[in-house]
Amino acid sequence: MNRVDVTIVGGGPVGLFGAFYAGLRGMSVRIIDSLPELGGQLTALYPEKYVYDMPGFPEVLAKDLAKNLIEQASRFNPDLVLGETAEVLTRDEDGWTITTAQGTVCPTRTIIVSAGAGAFSPTKIGVAREEEFEGKGVFYGVRDRSIFAGKRLVIVGGGDSAFDWALSLAPIAQSIKLVHRRDQFRAHDETIREVRETTDVEFHLWKVVKELHGEDSITGVTLENTQSKETEFHECDAVIVNIGFKSNLGPLKDWGLTIEKNQIVVDGLYQTGLPGVFSVGDVATFEGKIKLIATGVGEAATAVCVAKTMIDPSAKLFPGHSSDMDLKAPATV
């Protein structure tokens, strides 16, 4: 592969905006992502959920936000290396070379790590036959709301995802039972209130899923009271598990970066301890860090501008406002 000005590790929303902004600054761009499609968690975990805290969108489905970000990032035709994990980082005289786990060699002048939470996998209930029923009644997210229409659902969890899905699926599901091991929740107060007051969702508190039942697909669950240990059977067609995800930086831990609590430490310009290597978005940490897509895209724009001045010392750090640029012509700033 040819050497590019900047390689962005991670094709989620922050990485996509970084790719667009680098193109805007006339930089050649490559995106590497372990997922087979762009969009990160927006497309992989919760495409049907609404996002409410993006400027300019009172509300927008995650999949639609991802679609717009992908279209924006594609304006300057970045190279895409999808379904491959960035594994080995080596220094060379012209910058860096990233070699993926699949053996693809990707030379680059600078790097922006925008890997979100890193490689992620859902936290499972931990009961017998769980893997057997995955996709056959056990789900760890909702990629298509329509498949739950008219179904008897059990939603496991007490955080934002559990309540968001309860609220979203209530109008189309036959019934919903929300199961949580405690009587306190980690969801937003307003969402909890809305679920309680505007839906027929049944709350089963101080309970956990003890058994899964069915032949080729889920037909019911046994719940156990965490205090009394009493059990009860409930018929259902699907179990939606929302008890979190386990994340791992994987090979990035071997790159010589400073890592704290599974995050990459950066300075005020989003620089890591490696020259020409930046980190932005949820994977980056610094004093006063706020984890939002809205703040992450700002971090990406700053990192791109600093990288631009490293590659071309004559370039301005701030290129001016996009409204003053001719985006129909190739970017030269």
Side-chain angles (χ1 to χ4, degrees):
M1 283 192 168
N2 63 305
R3 187 178 299 275
V4 295
D5 291 327
V6 60
T7 294
I8 297 177
V9 180
V14 172
L16 288 169
F17 187 79
F20 161 73
Y21 207 80
L24 190 68
R25 298 228 54 182
M27 301 166 74
S28 54
V29 184
R30 177 174 293 125
I31 301 174
I32 301 175
D33 198 289
S34 59
L35 295 173
E37 60 182 338
L38 294 171
Q41 294 187 32
L42 293 180
T43 53
L45 297 184
Y46 49 88
E48 294 282 353
K49 283 181 67 173
Y50 279 101
V51 176
Y52 298 99
D53 54 6
M54 275 299 291
F57 293 96
E59 63 178 34
V60 58
L61 281 174
K63 65 180 182 182
D64 293 335
L65 177 59
K67 178 183 176 183
N68 289 343
L69 285 163
I70 292 167
E71 180 180 348
Q72 185 181 42
S74 300
R75 177 187 288 268
F76 300 106
N77 300 313
D79 289 344
L80 300 179
V81 180
L82 302 180
E84 300 194 30
T85 302
E87 186 168 70
V88 179
L89 178 67
T90 54
R91 191 83 165 96
D92 58 56
E93 61 181 12
D94 294 319
W96 299 92
T97 295
I98 298 172
T99 304
T100 71
Q102 291 73 18
T104 303
V105 178
C106 306
T108 186
R109 294 180 179 86
T110 61
I111 298 168
I112 299 177
V113 180
S114 177
F120 50 86
S121 58
T123 302
K124 300 186 177 183
I125 305 171
V127 297
R129 303 186 69 192
E130 185 169 359
E131 291 187 4
E132 176 187 342
F133 283 123
E134 286 184 20
K136 301 177 181 178
V138 173
F139 302 89
Y140 300 97
V142 178
R143 294 185 60 83
D144 182 359
R145 289 175 70 250
S146 66
I147 68 174
F148 300 105
K151 300 294 178 65
R152 300 164 299 175
L153 309 180
V154 170
I155 297 179
V156 182
D160 283 320
S161 291
F163 276 86
D164 286 346
W165 287 128
L167 192 61
S168 176
L169 295 172
I172 64 172
Q174 178 179 328
S175 65
I176 296 178
K177 295 178 171 66
L178 191 145
V179 177
H180 187 44
R181 63 175 54 246
R182 301 186 302 159
D183 63 352
Q184 296 180 345
F185 309 108
R186 302 181 310 280
H188 291 298
D189 291 341
E190 177 60 23
T191 311
I192 296 171
R193 182 202 63 76
E194 197 168 356
V195 170
R196 286 189 181 279
E197 295 181 6
T198 68
T199 75
D200 294 324
V201 171
E202 295 180 17
F203 284 76
H204 292 261
L205 307 181
W206 298 106
K207 295 175 184 177
V208 295
V209 175
K210 192 67 175 177
E211 293 183 65
L212 302 172
H213 303 277
E215 293 297 329
D216 296 328
S217 61
I218 288 285
T219 57
V221 296
T222 294
L223 303 182
E224 180 184 75
N225 188 296
T226 58
Q227 298 175 313
S228 68
K229 303 303 178 184
E230 294 178 351
T231 61
E232 57 193 41
F233 173 79
H234 294 271
E235 293 183 344
C236 69
D237 304 302
V239 179
I240 303 173
V241 182
N242 288 288
I243 54 178
F245 286 84
K246 298 176 182 177
S247 62
N248 192 338
L249 291 181
L252 298 183
K253 289 183 176 180
D254 300 323
W255 283 15
L257 303 164
T258 301
I259 308 291
E260 289 183 2
K261 297 181 179 178
N262 212 44
Q263 293 176 293
I264 300 169
V265 178
V266 297
D267 64 14
L269 296 177
Y270 310 107
Q271 299 175 112
T272 69
L274 302 179
V277 179
F278 303 80
S279 184
V280 297
D282 285 357
V283 74
T285 185
F286 52 86
E287 185 176 358
K289 173 74 177 186
I290 301 294
K291 290 187 177 183
L292 292 172
I293 298 174
T295 54
V297 295
E299 295 170 14
T302 299
V304 164
C305 288
V306 177
K308 174 70 175 182
T309 61
M310 285 184 171
I311 296 169
D312 178 8
S314 68
K316 296 179 180 179
L317 179 64
F318 175 56
H321 299 289
S322 63
S323 55
D324 297 326
M325 301 176 188
D326 182 6
L327 296 190
K328 295 180 181 179
T332 57
V333 294

